[in-house]
Amino acid sequence: MTDIDNAPLRIALGSSLPEPDESIARMITSGRNSLAFFLGDEACRYRLLAESINWDRILIARRDCSTLGYAAFKHHRRGPFSPGVRPFLREFGWWRGVLRYLLFAITEGREWYYGFYLYGLHVIKHARHQGIASSLLAATFDQARQAGYDRVELEVQVKNVRAQRLYAHMGFTRIRTTPVNWLGRLLPFPAVINMRRSMTPQP
Ligand SMILES: CC(C)(COP(=O)(O)OP(=O)(O)OC[C@H]1O[C@@H](n2cnc3c(N)ncnc32)[C@H](O)[C@@H]1OP(=O)(O)O)[C@@H](O)C(=O)NCCC(=O)NCCS
């Protein structure tokens, strides 16, 4: 066990850090892997999204100066990313850039009906099974309560059994399975399970 492992876990909003560094931005933009077929690989997603991170929608877990994971969330139609079309044009050229930007806007807009939505959750490999994701989720619940929401909702891929188990332990219940939506008939979007957790104490 190293000194870092013994250091207390700190969870803070990205907007409260003096200056979130490039490695944190890289971790956050590496999410959305299921959209890689039109957003490109991790390096490409970094180029597309890093300039437009909304740090007030991201909780970061750190020990000492090491970043171990994050939870990203969305409410009031504002999530962790608000990219303009420009980086897409720069990356893919005019037509392909506009098309991919529109697809991104549709996938983001598709979440409009959620109130408080857990957009992403990630813990780096060597720090897993120490309760870091559970702590990030508890801090996310605090954010939801402070923003006035009485529930948190999420989508998790059907094949991601480990994450489903964690969510169940943290009080989420399964609402439905969305096998393939209208967009998924045209494009390779994964089937997801919709889960919800109430923020009010259960009887
Ligand atoms: C899913 C993920 C976020 C979990 O992160 P984590 O920090 O390992 O999660 P936790 O440590 O809080 O909980 C994981 C398990 O460790 C257990 N655990 C928690 N604290 C522990 C400790 N101190 N010692 C041993 N086990 C512990 C938990 O009970 C939980 O058990 P379970 O799998 O039976 O539910 C992580 O595996 C990950 O980043 N995966 C890739 C991205 C991903 O799938 N994200 C979800 C997208 S919807």
Side-chain angles (χ1 to χ4, degrees):
M1 194 173 261
T2 66
D3 287 347
I4 289 182
D5 293 325
N6 288 324
L9 182 71
R10 294 184 196 285
I11 296 186
L13 275 179
S15 51
S16 72
L17 298 180
E19 47 181 286
D21 64 18
E22 189 197 312
S23 67
I24 306 181
R26 285 202 181 273
M27 186 189 292
I28 291 161
T29 56
S30 71
R32 285 314 206 220
N33 200 30
S34 62
L35 305 185
F37 68 93
F38 72 93
L39 288 182
D41 61 13
E42 283 188 20
C44 184
R45 296 204 289 281
Y46 176 77
R47 292 193 294 275
L48 293 175
L49 304 173
E51 290 166 15
S52 68
I53 295 175
N54 297 320
W55 291 102
D56 60 338
R57 295 296 194 258
I58 293 162
L59 285 161
I60 297 167
R62 308 172 100 196
R63 264 201 192 113
D64 258 356
C65 290
S66 301
T67 302
L68 303 177
Y70 73 87
F73 53 89
K74 188 171 186 175
H75 63 86
H76 290 94
R77 310 268 166 93
R78 182 176 153 96
F81 307 116
S82 303
V85 71
R86 231 173 252 262
F88 286 75
L89 301 184
R90 205 168 51 217
E91 190 67 31
F92 302 112
W94 178 256
W95 289 113
R96 289 172 65 218
V98 168
L99 187 65
R100 285 166 195 243
Y101 176 73
L102 285 176
L103 265 174
F104 182 70
I106 290 169
T107 56
E108 291 280 299
R110 186 189 56 81
E111 294 152 355
W112 66 270
Y113 52 85
Y114 292 119
F116 191 104
Y117 177 66
L118 181 73
Y119 185 101
L121 177 71
H122 184 87
V123 173
I124 61 171
K125 277 196 177 131
H126 80 258
R128 289 180 187 170
H129 296 285
Q130 298 172 24
I132 295 174
S134 308
S135 301
L136 280 163
L137 285 171
T140 303
F141 300 160
D142 289 342
Q143 291 293 319
R145 286 189 200 96
Q146 282 167 30
Y149 289 91
D150 61 3
R151 64 191 187 201
V152 171
E153 291 165 284
L154 62 82
E155 292 175 1
V156 53
Q157 289 189 28
V158 168
K159 63 181 183 196
N160 194 347
V161 176
R162 181 168 42 181
Q164 287 163 36
R165 202 171 49 222
L166 169 71
Y167 294 138
H169 282 175
M170 292 300 289
F172 283 88
T173 51
R174 190 185 178 119
I175 303 303
R176 63 179 176 278
T177 301
T178 308
V180 163
N181 62 19
W182 62 271
L183 207 52
R185 289 193 195 100
L186 304 172
L187 298 163
F189 285 106
V192 294
I193 292 172
N194 302 69
M195 300 183 89
R196 177 185 296 165
R197 188 197 191 273
S198 169
M199 294 296 103
T200 49
Q202 301 300 303

